[in-house]
Amino acid sequence: MASSSPAPWGAVCLLCALSLGMLFSSTLHASTQPDTSAPWREPIRALWTINPDVQVARADLDAAYARARAADQPLYNPALALEAENADVDRRTAQLSLTLDVSGKRRARATQGQAELRVAQAAYDLQRQLTAQQWLKVWSTLSLATRQRELGQQRLALMQRFDDLAAQRLKVGDISSPERDLAGLALGEAQMQQATLVGNEAAVRAALLALADDTHTIAPPPWPHSFPPSTASMAPRAVADLPQVVLAQAREASADAAIRVAQRNRLPDPTVSLTGGRVRAGPVTDRVIGVSVSVPLPVLNSGRADVDAARADADAAIAKLQGERLRARAALQEAQARYEALRTAAASFQNSRAAAFQERTALQEKLWRAGELGTSDYLVQLKQSLDTALSGLELENQAWQAWFDYLTAAGRLNDWIDGRMQEAAP
């Protein structure tokens, strides 16, 4: 008699349930990863299409494509010469000549053209990254100036209300005349500070318009409510893959190709000519066919100086590449350390009592109205609260700007803009 054995089936069901649960959990975790770059994605892509610096780099890239195609074309075109002579001897001849590229000049120039194309491509990629970084930092500065101006407006409203209340309390004798004057002075100072904040916002907005004057296409997004992620979410690329290093490597390869071009230019190429025609002398007419070969002699200019100059340029390109690698490593270490420090400080500030500006100012005004806080003490504490709130905004802005600097130094700014967050470094 066969007996059922539910234990293995139960284990299988349990295993399936656990697997589905883990899959659902991992999918939910992946889907809840914040995409901090989403608000900037479309504005930056639009920026790349209208920014003058990017347009210049794009035009240089198109020119490099054309020059690469031109460098791969044959160096010499055939030449046709027609000759006619009426004298004692009538001559009618045609000559077809062609210089032969036996030294490999075309191949060397094609190699240099491809190297120059890689230089232009690397310069275009780097310019797009630098333009995006510049726009993001100016935008964050504008967001800071706007929020500071809004906070200053709250300060101005508080001081205006404080001045009105002081005037009322002076009438009933709750405060003295010097305390009333102190409220008026505080209001005047707040008005002057607000004018400064408005001017700062206008200056930063002008800097943003200098990058792209099409304000309808490039609409800056609102300030994000979350902090940028940790640097672990965007591991830096290898030094050799950083845009500025790639550009230096491309220039070094182009300089090497220029040496080979200069060396090939020193070698003369022969010109082969084929002549055919008719020669008539009196009643006698003869057909003539001739072949000639001419080779230029590099006597007056051997081209050695051009080779020496190309080698010196290559040495300079190698040195620049080494320097770029050193600067890239140093910039990455500095940007990473600065960002982590600012991010930690900004998060600590936001989670502390120092960030509770609205609650604190309301409590201070309540205590002053109740007579439990003197006028001078109220002004000192209110000023401290406002200064702390402004410093908190500045700290948060510095954390975001440090994040943009880190992404640039790590060569991951474009990846972040495209939403490729948890991507491992190449």
Side-chain angles (χ1 to χ4, degrees), residues 311-370:
R311 285 175 176 167
D313 290 338
D315 292 339
I318 293 174
K320 291 179 180 178
L321 175 58
Q322 294 174 347
E324 201 63 57
R325 286 171 178 165
L326 294 176
R327 287 189 293 270
R329 291 192 188 97
L332 177 59
Q333 292 178 2
E334 187 270 339
Q336 187 170 6
R338 181 163 53 88
Y339 169 66
E340 291 293 355
L342 287 172
R343 181 176 181 270
T344 301
S348 299
F349 176 84
Q350 192 177 62
N351 295 328
S352 67
R353 283 289 301 166
F357 170 71
Q358 301 293 345
E359 299 177 9
R360 190 165 50 253
T361 53
L363 177 60
Q364 290 168 353
E365 183 176 340
K366 182 178 179 181
L367 293 175
W368 178 73
R369 287 189 177 188

Side-chain angles (χ1 to χ4, degrees), residues 389-406:
L390 291 172
S391 298
L393 295 179
E394 178 69 26
L395 181 60
E396 183 180 347
N397 177 264
Q398 289 178 359
W400 273 102
Q401 295 217 15
W403 170 246
F404 300 143
D405 290 338
Y406 165 75

Side-chain angles (χ1 to χ4, degrees), residues 164-218:
D164 295 340
L165 291 174
Q168 295 174 9
R169 296 186 65 180
L170 177 64
K171 291 180 180 179
V172 298
D174 288 344
I175 62 174
S176 62
S177 178
E179 290 178 315
R180 170 65 185 89
D181 294 339
L182 189 60
L185 293 174
L187 176 60
E189 183 182 7
Q191 291 171 341
M192 290 185 293
Q193 291 174 342
Q194 185 64 16
T196 301
L197 294 177
V198 172
N200 291 339
E201 182 184 11
V204 179
R205 193 176 298 277
L208 189 66
L209 292 177
L211 294 175
D213 59 357
D214 191 347
T215 55
H216 298 288
T217 303
I218 311 298

Side-chain angles (χ1 to χ4, degrees), residues 136-155:
L136 286 168
K137 296 187 71 171
V138 174
W139 167 84
S140 64
T141 304
L142 176 60
S143 299
L144 171 65
T146 301
R147 294 198 297 164
Q148 286 179 333
R149 189 256 306 159
E150 293 172 350
L151 186 60
Q153 193 66 38
Q154 296 181 27
R155 171 177 56 189

Side-chain angles (χ1 to χ4, degrees), residues 208-285:
L208 189 66
L209 292 177
L211 294 175
D213 59 357
D214 191 347
T215 55
H216 298 288
T217 303
I218 311 298
W223 183 260
H225 297 290
S226 60
F227 279 108
S230 171
T231 55
S233 63
M234 295 295 287
R237 294 186 177 275
V239 174
D241 295 330
L242 297 178
Q244 62 270 32
V245 178
V246 171
L247 177 58
Q249 290 173 339
R251 287 173 174 167
E252 191 267 337
S254 177
D256 284 341
I259 295 177
R260 290 188 289 273
V261 170
Q263 290 173 339
R264 295 298 186 273
N265 288 337
R266 292 191 61 197
L267 304 177
D269 290 329
T271 300
V272 178
S273 302
L274 177 63
T275 303
R278 185 185 64 184
V279 176
R280 184 175 62 185
V284 180
T285 300

